[in-house]
Amino acid sequence: MQVLADFPWENGQEWIDELRRQAVGHQILAEPDIVDHAGIEAAVVWRPSIDFFKPLTNLRALIVPGAGVDQLMQSGTSLPDVPIVRLADPVMATRMAEYVLAMVLDHHRQLGRYRDQQAGAIWKRHFHSDPQDIRVGILGMGVMGAAAARHLRAIGYAVTGWSRSTKVMPDIDVAAGEAALMPLIAASDILVCLLPLTDATRGILNAKTFDAMPEGALLINAARGAHLVVPDLVAALDRGKLSAAVLDVFEDEPLSPESPLWEHPNVTITPHIASLSNPVTGVRQIVRALDRIEAGERPDHIVDRHAGY
Ligand code: NAP
Ligand code: GLV
């Protein structure tokens, strides 16, 4: 099958090389070297340009080389009516779980405070509670959220999740549906957002959310920047309602050097690295999807266009 590969990332060539190595029997093509666009049957694409699909008149599937699909679904490009497949990579899920765990532990064990003390040669101990007394709420219990929940639970945190559909997980309560959201938020000393960005979740981290959270709570957003209303967060931090926020994702990336978030003493910023797509395991999933499409079978992890993820 002829496959158009478009990776607009620093390591895009690494992905193309890996795809050519693993996708035996498929022809991997990349712009500007494509002469026969009508021969392309599948496209691996992260964020298409407005005219990206126009010459691709014989597509059978789109494959997104990442977990989130909002950058494709909300790109303003008219999408062809073919299945859209995304990555659901356990390696990415473990990376995300490690990130969330690192940030929860950093906050819980007050490591920032000790880094500040070290700068002033201050020897002072501070009390910290046990993990079972810290309630972590996870918004989104899919591939990423469930992995984060299991890692946190394994070292004793009291974890509750929130999803659209009900789920049963050992030692982890999962609340489902809109009515369950505010009670979960009100009972989360640490709130972690791992939702997909859809019409239903855009702006979900807002003043109402922060008002409902316990005094001094921590927010971690590693999903998408547009889940968060930044001025509402800054106001909640400034009045001490939230003690801190960890932000890996921003509505405009890279985050502008002018953003007040950089300077905020209670904000930790990372440059969208919570869980980078992994070329080897990601390509393995892409090739599995290509093989199934070519064989006329239904690939795994098809996006529900109506739900938007
Ligand atoms: P996923 O497997 O599709 O899981 C999404 C979860 O969110 C599911 O549990 C889903 O509920 C729930 N959900 C969706 N809409 C909801 C709503 N309106 N109300 C309640 N729950 C809702 O996605 P994933 O692979 O875990 O990835 C999640 C997101 O993480 C991605 O979309 C992406 O934005 C972000 N991400 C960020 C990074 C990073 O490096 N920062 C890396 C990877 C992914 P159901 O289970 O009932 O469907
Ligand atoms: C990264 O943010 C992804 O969605 O894979």
Side-chain angles (χ1 to χ4, degrees):
M1 201 158 57
Q2 289 193 21
V3 181
L4 190 166
D6 184 64
F7 299 102
W9 303 330
E10 297 98 317
N11 63 343
Q13 191 55 47
E14 187 188 349
W15 277 80
I16 291 179
D17 293 345
E18 187 62 31
L19 200 46
R20 288 190 172 134
R21 199 178 66 75
Q22 290 193 37
V24 178
H26 301 287
Q27 197 183 350
I28 307 303
L29 304 165
E31 298 289 13
D33 301 330
I34 302 177
V35 278
D36 175 23
H37 287 84
I40 306 275
E41 290 184 89
V44 182
V45 57
W46 176 251
R47 189 195 304 276
S49 59
I50 202 83
D51 292 331
F52 183 86
F53 295 110
K54 268 200 184 141
L56 305 176
T57 47
N58 288 310
L59 277 182
R60 291 165 64 188
L62 303 182
I63 302 177
V64 177
V69 294
D70 51 287
Q71 67 288 336
L72 171 75
M73 308 293 282
Q74 300 163 28
S75 61
T77 316
S78 153
L79 299 177
D81 186 15
V82 295
I84 300 172
V85 177
R86 72 175 190 105
L87 297 191
D89 181 356
V91 172
M92 275 183 83
T94 304
R95 297 292 92 85
M96 178 59 83
E98 290 162 358
Y99 178 89
V100 172
L101 198 54
M103 294 304 173
V104 166
L105 282 167
D106 187 76
H107 178 79
H108 169 200
R109 298 300 301 265
Q110 306 177 56
L111 300 183
R113 198 170 189 183
Y114 293 115
R115 282 189 287 268
D116 290 347
Q117 286 187 190
Q118 184 176 346
I122 297 167
W123 182 277
K124 187 165 191 273
R125 294 169 177 160
H126 303 281
F127 166 82
H128 63 81
S129 41
D130 290 334
Q132 62 266 26
D133 297 325
I134 299 182
R135 300 163 299 171
V136 185
I138 302 190
L139 305 182
M141 288 293 281
V143 177
M144 301 293 148
R150 281 192 297 268
H151 275 64
L152 291 163
R153 186 68 204 112
I155 57 165
Y157 288 99
V159 180
T160 306
W162 185 64
S163 57
R164 234 163 34 112
S165 55
T166 47
K167 298 185 194 314
V168 178
M169 288 179 71
D171 290 335
I172 298 169
D173 285 335
V174 183
E178 250 176 79
L181 178 62
M182 279 302 162
L184 178 135
I185 286 172
S188 295
D189 303 309
I190 299 176
L191 187 68
V192 182
C193 180
L194 288 172
L195 288 163
L197 182 65
T198 65
D199 290 347
T201 65
R202 182 177 293 275
I204 195 167
L205 305 172
N206 57 40
K208 203 172 142 213
T209 317
F210 305 139
D211 284 349
M213 285 169 77
E215 291 296 313
L218 165 72
L219 172 74
I220 300 177
N221 184 20
R224 285 292 185 262
H227 285 121
L228 174 67
V229 181
V230 170
D232 291 3
L233 171 68
V234 172
L237 288 167
D238 288 349
R239 68 188 160 89
K241 176 70 190 180
L242 296 192
S243 61
V246 172
L247 306 176
D248 184 56
V249 284
F250 303 89
E251 199 156 4
D252 291 313
E253 296 181 1
L255 181 64
S256 160
E258 314 303 321
S259 168
L261 291 171
W262 288 109
E263 301 272 300
H264 202 290
N266 299 330
V267 174
T268 298
I269 291 175
T270 51
H272 201 145
I273 48 72
S275 173
L276 298 171
S277 296
N278 176 305
V280 175
T281 56
V283 163
R284 203 174 291 150
Q285 291 215 346
I286 294 170
V287 173
R288 199 173 305 142
L290 291 173
D291 289 345
R292 292 185 74 94
I293 293 155
E294 189 169 45
E297 294 165 6
R298 185 182 158 82
D300 296 328
H301 313 304
I302 294 186
V303 171
D304 173 344
R305 283 185 184 234
H306 181 67
Y309 69 99

